[in-house]
């Protein structure tokens, strides 16, 4: 923790929502920034949710978490983002019945424009931003487009839940613990086009390190059922729970931020939606999920992985969707 300050300042937007209710406890418990790192937590939500946030603060107090230096609740973006080290943007406008993609984007553009500007004006210039609210990749693009003083590399979106889902599916199929599954990744947009890819993945067996394909021995499953199970996992949770993923999303957010702050183990790939620099011929400027490694708070897109035709087609498909969303967002931002 040597590169962190005495107290890290973290804001969670949408803190009164269902993901917020799990996430905030992961933070104050020390799961995100380490068990010796003090935290100041800002809970941001809309004004009608302030009573609910007061209740959350009472619960945090009652939990007796020694790492907490302060918790505040606010609906004011200026107060929320001032001097912030980490911004986790979970709050957004959910898709309502009959809503077109462009309407969802328009509703969220309004939110992420305001929050992007507030980050630009009030957060530390080194702030690390994670956007969770959907459409996550394009909301992150909107936030960074409104924060010209913050490097675009400081903005990311959550695809770690898809990454974790992919890893869990492989572990279950192989009959091993998730801790033995490594370097399974996801490419692209957090949507039905996200592409889980096991070709660089390996599994630690008692006999040694083996490729995922050589353990699973079912290429048909790896290219078809596995991919669609991961892509449709969010819908499967909703169908069963009648609510969308919450605790697993909070765990994935915690994994994402912990790794970004503290680094990844040597040789371990994780997936993050990050600003495309044109790697793997993904159009520059979209927020795209790539395999990354992280050291000293800085991520690097894993270079030079061989891309076969199936992967090329899947990457191009999900990139095309993101370019369309970005073009739509640029038009919406130009409207006002
Ligand atoms: P909830 O509806 O339970 O909570 C959302 C919260 O955001 C509410 O408390 C609401 O008042 C607040 N909010 C709305 N507008 C706001 C604003 N302008 N400023 C601050 N707060 C605001 O949703 P929840 O289940 O917690 O999900 C939150 C978001 O995560 C949704 O957009 C959802 O689609 C997205 N997800 C993204 C995932 C990913 O992997 N990227 C996975 C999980 C989740 O589905």
């Amino acid at each position: 923790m040597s590169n962190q300050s005495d107290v890290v300042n973290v804001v969670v937007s949408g803190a009164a929502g269902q993901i917020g209710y799990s996430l905030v406890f992961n933070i104050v418990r020390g799961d995100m920034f380490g068990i010796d790192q003090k935290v100041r937590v800002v809970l941001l939500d809309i004004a009608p949710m302030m009573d609910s946030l007061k209740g959350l603060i009472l619960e945090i107090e009652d939990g007796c978490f020694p790492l907490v230096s302060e918790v505040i609740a606010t609906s004011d973006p200026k107060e929320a983002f001032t001097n912030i080290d980490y911004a986790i943007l979970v709050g957004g406008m959910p898709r309502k019945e009959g809503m077109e993609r462009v309407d969802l984007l328009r509703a969220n553009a309004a939110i992420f424009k305001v929050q992007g500007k507030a980050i630009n004006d009030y957060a530390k210039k080194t702030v690390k931003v994670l956007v969770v609210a959907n459409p996550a990749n394009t909301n992150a693009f909107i936030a960074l487009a409104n924060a010209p003083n913050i490097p675009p590399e400081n903005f990311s979106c959550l695809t770690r839940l898809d990454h974790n889902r992919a890893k869990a599916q492989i572990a279950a199929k192989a009959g091993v613990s998730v801790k033995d599954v490594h370097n399974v990744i996801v490419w692209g947009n957090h949507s039905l086009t996200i592409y889980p890819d096991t070709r660089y993945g390996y599994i630690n067996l008692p006999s040694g390190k083996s490729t995922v394909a050589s353990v699973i021995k079912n290429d048909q499953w790896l290219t078809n059922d596995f991919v669609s199970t991961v892509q449709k996992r969010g819908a499967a949770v909703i169908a069963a729970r009648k609510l969308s993923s919450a605790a697993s999303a909070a765990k994935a957010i915690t994994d994402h931020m912990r790794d970004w702050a503290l680094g990844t183990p040597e040789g371990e790939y994780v997936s993050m939606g990050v600003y495309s620099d044109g790697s793997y011929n993904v159009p520059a400027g979209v927020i795209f999920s790539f395999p990354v490694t992280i050291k000293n708070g800085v991520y690097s897109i894993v270079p030079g992985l061989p891309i076969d035709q199936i992967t090329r087609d899947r990457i191009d498909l999900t990139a095309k969707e993101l370019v369309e969303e970005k073009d739509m967002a640029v038009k919406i931002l130009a409207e006002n």
Side-chain angles (χ1 to χ4, degrees), residues 11-332:
V11 57
V12 176
S13 83
Q18 54 153 2
I19 294 175
Y21 191 72
S22 282
L23 177 63
V24 168
F25 290 97
N26 292 353
I27 297 172
V28 295
R29 210 186 287 120
D31 292 352
M32 190 176 283
F33 300 111
I35 52 163
D36 53 3
Q37 177 62 58
K38 289 213 166 65
V39 287
R40 174 176 174 271
V41 185
V42 180
L43 309 173
L44 171 66
D45 212 294
I46 52 175
M49 303 311 285
M50 288 304 109
D51 274 349
S52 170
L53 287 185
K54 273 184 207 150
L56 182 52
I57 291 178
L58 296 181
E59 286 211 64
I60 295 168
E61 282 172 13
D62 295 348
C64 292
F65 296 101
L67 295 176
V68 176
S69 79
E70 188 186 18
V71 188
I72 64 158
T74 183
S75 59
D76 172 12
K78 178 178 177 187
E79 186 181 16
F81 291 105
T82 295
N83 213 21
I84 279 296
D85 297 295
Y86 296 96
I88 306 174
L89 308 182
V90 184
M93 177 69 77
R95 192 173 199 145
K96 295 187 183 129
E97 220 173 315
M99 213 178 194
E100 296 290 332
R101 203 153 68 124
V102 66
D103 299 326
L104 181 71
L105 210 51
R106 188 170 278 113
N108 281 288
I111 296 172
F112 286 89
K113 191 174 171 182
V114 169
Q115 295 188 354
K117 278 186 199 303
I119 289 169
N120 191 61
D121 294 347
Y122 306 117
K124 288 188 184 159
K125 297 298 170 231
T126 52
V127 64
K128 289 180 165 61
V129 182
L130 167 62
V131 176
V132 178
N134 282 315
N137 300 54
T138 302
N139 286 342
F141 167 77
I142 293 167
L144 83 83
N146 284 283
N149 298 334
I150 310 282
E153 293 76 27
N154 294 22
F155 288 82
S156 67
C157 84
L158 187 75
T159 56
R160 186 61 174 266
L161 180 55
D162 307 278
H163 174 104
N164 286 352
R165 286 167 173 166
K167 193 168 167 172
Q169 288 299 313
I170 294 299
K173 187 78 172 173
V176 300
S177 160
V178 284
K179 77 172 173 26
D180 294 320
V181 178
H182 299 275
N183 295 5
V184 169
I185 55 158
V186 295
W187 300 94
N189 195 4
H190 171 69
S191 75
L192 287 173
T193 65
I194 196 147
Y195 180 50
D197 183 356
T198 59
R199 290 169 315 119
Y200 330 102
Y202 66 92
I203 298 178
N204 281 331
L205 295 174
S207 53
K209 195 167 153 176
S210 303
T211 63
V212 169
S214 69
V215 177
I216 302 279
K217 293 190 181 70
N218 187 342
D219 288 349
Q220 190 62 21
W221 181 83
L222 283 173
T223 27
N224 296 303
D225 292 3
F226 161 71
V227 172
S228 69
T229 299
V230 173
Q231 289 173 334
K232 295 178 187 158
R233 189 69 165 183
V237 172
I238 293 174
R241 217 171 84 84
K242 316 291 178 240
L243 284 170
S244 56
S245 312
S248 58
K251 165 66 163 57
I253 294 166
T254 308
D255 290 345
H256 178 116
M257 291 311 257
R258 184 201 57 233
D259 287 348
W260 202 359
L262 305 179
T264 45
E266 193 65 36
E268 185 77 16
Y269 305 167
V270 293
S271 307
M272 268 173 88
V274 297
Y275 191 71
S276 170
D277 60 357
S279 292
Y280 297 100
N281 287 327
V282 171
V286 294
I287 301 285
F288 193 90
S289 181
F290 285 104
V292 301
T293 54
I294 305 163
K295 208 171 181 180
N296 299 327
V298 178
Y299 65 78
S300 310
I301 296 173
V302 176
L305 295 173
I307 301 296
D308 63 12
Q309 195 54 50
I310 293 179
T311 311
R312 181 75 264 154
D313 293 347
R314 301 280 196 155
I315 289 177
D316 289 348
L317 182 74
T318 192
K320 181 170 171 281
E321 185 179 62
L322 275 173
V323 169
E324 284 168 12
E325 279 185 22
K326 181 185 163 202
D327 291 349
M328 237 187 260
V330 168
K331 264 196 207 134
I332 291 168

